[in-house]
């Protein structure tokens, strides 16, 4: 019986870590600099897409050779459970939620593939992927796109240096959003 309780405790710890890491992703994605300076649309879609950028960074670290794929799956589950709960609070019915969750899941997978290909291929390809997805409904400047590309690379490097034990304890540190002054169109 002692082994069973140890398993439950371990599972609970992993769930707690997943919730804390998801919360850290959302907190980072809500930083005003991304919207005010980097031009990410401050809409439901823009916020969702910025969370997905951070999910890409975190999941890439967790799925690396010395990562924790189970923890990545737990975070994914927490993320979509939270999205489901938020839609319920907005009064969306079960059928509508199912359709939206399916679409969000497809969006998630498509963006992860696009960002991975962009990271592997170079800054121009990553900028194109970010422009198609994160900036889909806006006209981001080249400076904003390249600042976001730089941020993604900084975040990947920062997380690569973080010990897996810290992540398994629910602690993640993202870099600061890049400073970029947005000028008004002329």
């Amino acid at each position: 019986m002692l082994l069973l309780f140890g398993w439950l405790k371990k599972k609970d710890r992993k769930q707690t870590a997943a919730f804390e890491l998801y919360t850290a992703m959302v907190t980072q994605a809500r930083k005003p600099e991304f919207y005010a300076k980097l031009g990410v649309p401050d809409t439901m879609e823009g916020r969702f897409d910025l969370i997905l950028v951070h999910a890409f960074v975190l999941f890439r670290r967790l799925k690396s050779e010395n990562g924790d794929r189970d923890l990545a799956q737990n975070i994914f589950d927490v993320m979509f459970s939270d999205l489901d709960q938020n839609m319920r609070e907005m009064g969306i019915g079960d059928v509508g939620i199912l359709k939206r969750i399916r679409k969000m899941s497809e969006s998630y997978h498509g963006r992860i593939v696009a960002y991975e290909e962009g990271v592997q291929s170079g800054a121009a390809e990553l900028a194109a992927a970010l422009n198609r997805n994160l900036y889909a409904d806006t006209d981001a400047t080249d400076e904003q796109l390249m600042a976001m590309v730089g941020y993604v690379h900084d975040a990947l490097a920062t997380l690569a240096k973080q010990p897996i034990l810290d992540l398994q304890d629910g602690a993640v540190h993202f870099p600061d959003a890049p400073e970029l002054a947005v000028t008004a169109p002329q």
Side-chain angles (χ1 to χ4, degrees):
M1 194 63 153
L2 188 56
L3 289 176
L4 178 63
F5 289 119
W7 176 78
L8 289 173
K9 187 175 182 179
K10 182 178 180 182
K11 186 173 182 170
D12 184 52
R13 195 178 96 223
K14 198 160 256 201
Q15 280 299 114
T16 300
F19 179 78
E20 290 171 354
L21 293 171
Y22 172 69
T23 300
M25 268 185 352
V26 171
T27 300
Q28 182 71 9
R30 287 185 176 165
K31 292 200 172 181
E33 298 90 342
F34 289 109
Y35 305 96
K37 295 183 180 183
L38 295 179
V40 173
D42 194 4
T43 62
M44 195 165 79
E45 292 81 12
R47 290 175 183 203
F48 174 69
D49 275 307
L50 192 54
I51 290 170
L52 293 186
V53 168
H54 288 91
F56 163 70
V57 170
L58 181 57
F59 292 167
R60 191 170 196 261
R61 168 62 178 99
L62 290 172
K63 292 180 178 183
S64 67
E65 188 175 313
N66 62 342
D68 187 333
R69 289 179 180 268
D70 290 339
L71 182 55
Q73 181 61 53
N74 287 347
I75 297 165
F76 178 86
D77 294 344
V78 167
M79 179 170 64
F80 277 89
S81 177
D82 183 54
L83 293 169
D84 180 283
Q85 182 62 35
N86 285 325
M87 284 186 271
R88 288 183 190 286
E89 289 174 3
M90 291 187 314
I92 299 170
D94 288 342
V95 174
I97 289 173
L98 182 62
K99 288 179 183 177
R100 289 176 190 216
I101 290 290
R102 184 178 300 125
K103 185 177 179 183
M104 288 175 164
S105 180
E106 290 169 0
S107 296
Y108 160 79
H109 290 292
R111 282 154 174 77
I112 296 301
V113 169
Y115 297 151
E116 183 61 40
E117 288 173 356
V119 166
Q120 295 294 325
S121 299
E125 288 79 4
L126 181 55
L130 290 166
N131 198 34
R132 277 191 317 272
N133 297 298
L134 182 62
Y135 294 104
D137 298 327
T138 62
D139 292 323
T141 66
D142 289 342
E143 292 80 16
Q144 289 169 324
L145 274 171
M146 293 317 292
M148 197 64 194
V149 166
Y151 173 78
V152 169
H153 283 289
D154 288 349
L156 290 169
T158 298
L159 267 70
K161 295 175 189 171
Q162 292 179 30
I164 192 64
L165 291 175
D166 288 353
L167 295 169
Q168 290 169 331
D169 285 338
V172 63
H173 304 286
F174 291 99
D176 292 334
E179 292 294 321
L180 177 71
V182 176
T183 57
Q186 300 190 15

